[in-house]
Structure formats: structure tokens, C-alpha cells
Amino acid sequence: GNLFNQHTVASMTVTRHDRVTVQRQRRKVRKTPPFLRHHSDLFMRVGSSWRKPRGIDSAMRRKYRGYPAMVEVGYGTPRKVRGFHPDGTKHLVVHNTRDLKLLTMQNDKFSATIAKAVSARKRKDIIELANQMKIKVTNSKARLRREEAE
């Protein structure tokens, strides 16, 4: 099943203030730099995924002017806002209707995302229950299109 249980969901409660903070955070103009690996633009053999420069003479590690920015703690998202979707809710991956019932009192703070491995038939059941419980399902259209076409 799911890694979440009633207690975990309850401990992750989100206030209206937190959701407003999320929206403010999203509106911020400051974007984090791309954080590319040093010399990834020069050599094909050096991939672009971030690696910290460790050379004793590395100008990038020594933060010389004109060198790309390095990953630092200051670029992190505030802890209250971390893990939120732009719609202002946290997403919980749901495998069955039992998982969906964890979100009974949390429907304004959490959205359900149906797991990839769930069949079309069970998906329908989950979506029906979610509509009754007024829980937003982020991928409610998935896998249902094929059946309607037939």
C-alpha cells in the first residue's frame, strides 16, 4: 500500500496562511540559476548534471566573478512551502479507495493523484468516490479516454 497513514497525513496539516505563502513564493521573480556542472558547456564528455567543483585551484569553487553560481543552502525553498504544487495543495499518490479515505478531512489541503499502475476500472471507482468526498484528483482524465472511444 501507501507509505502514508492517518497520522502522517494529520501531521502534514497545512493552514490557509501556508497556502497563501505558497502562492507568494511562486510569484517571486527570483529564479534559481540552472546549476550546470562546470565545463559541461566545453566538453561533450562532461554531463550537465550538477557536481560540486572540488579542485584546489578551481575558480568556480573559489567563487570568482564571472563564473556560474554554485548550489547553496540559500536557494532552498522555505520548509513550510516545500513540496507544494502550484495549485496550493500537496499531492498524495492513491492506489485504492482506502488510501483516498485518508484525505476525508483534508480535501482542501491535499489533492489525490492516482498511481500509474491502477487499472481503468479501479480508477473509475476512485474518481467516483473522490467526487462524492469533494477531493480534487489531479489526473482524473487519465486512462478513461480509451474506454470512451471504444
Side-chain angles (χ1 to χ4, degrees):
N2 207 330
L3 295 173
F4 291 96
N5 58 30
Q6 194 68 48
H7 304 293
T8 345
V9 173
S11 69
M12 295 190 321
T13 51
V14 181
T15 62
R16 184 181 171 282
H17 170 74
D18 295 340
R19 282 197 298 282
V20 171
T21 315
V22 171
Q23 282 138 10
R24 281 199 194 119
Q25 193 67 23
R26 299 262 173 234
R27 263 188 253 131
K28 268 190 178 176
V29 180
R30 178 190 74 106
K31 284 188 74 180
T32 55
F35 295 130
L36 300 174
R37 184 176 177 182
H38 192 38
H39 288 321
S40 64
D41 54 338
L42 278 181
F43 303 106
M44 287 290 287
R45 64 179 178 264
V46 180
S48 62
S49 66
W50 173 252
R51 299 286 190 282
K52 184 180 170 73
R54 291 190 168 84
I56 54 169
D57 294 328
S58 170
M60 186 173 174
R61 180 190 61 79
R62 290 155 78 178
K63 298 181 184 160
Y64 281 12
R65 190 172 62 183
Y67 282 85
M70 288 206 317
V71 174
E72 288 174 339
V73 76
Y75 287 109
T77 314
R79 197 169 269 166
K80 282 246 178 187
V81 201
R82 210 171 289 161
F84 279 93
H85 197 258
D87 65 2
T89 60
K90 286 198 170 197
H91 289 193
L92 180 75
V93 179
V94 171
H95 293 84
N96 50 41
T97 50
R98 198 172 62 241
D99 289 348
L100 195 66
K101 286 175 184 164
L102 290 172
L103 304 179
T104 342
M105 303 301 286
Q106 311 276 346
N107 59 354
D108 57 330
K109 299 158 188 147
F110 283 86
S111 299
T113 304
I114 302 172
K116 185 182 178 185
V118 177
S119 66
R121 191 177 67 203
K122 286 209 176 134
R123 221 168 257 268
K124 256 186 191 168
D125 299 341
I126 291 171
I127 292 166
E128 281 174 24
L129 183 63
N131 289 338
Q132 289 168 15
M133 295 167 73
K134 295 184 176 72
I135 296 171
K136 183 184 171 195
V137 179
T138 54
N139 56 349
S140 58
K141 303 269 190 296
R143 288 231 190 149
L144 297 181
R145 281 175 248 137
R146 273 191 242 143
E147 287 196 2
E148 289 171 8
E150 289 174 6

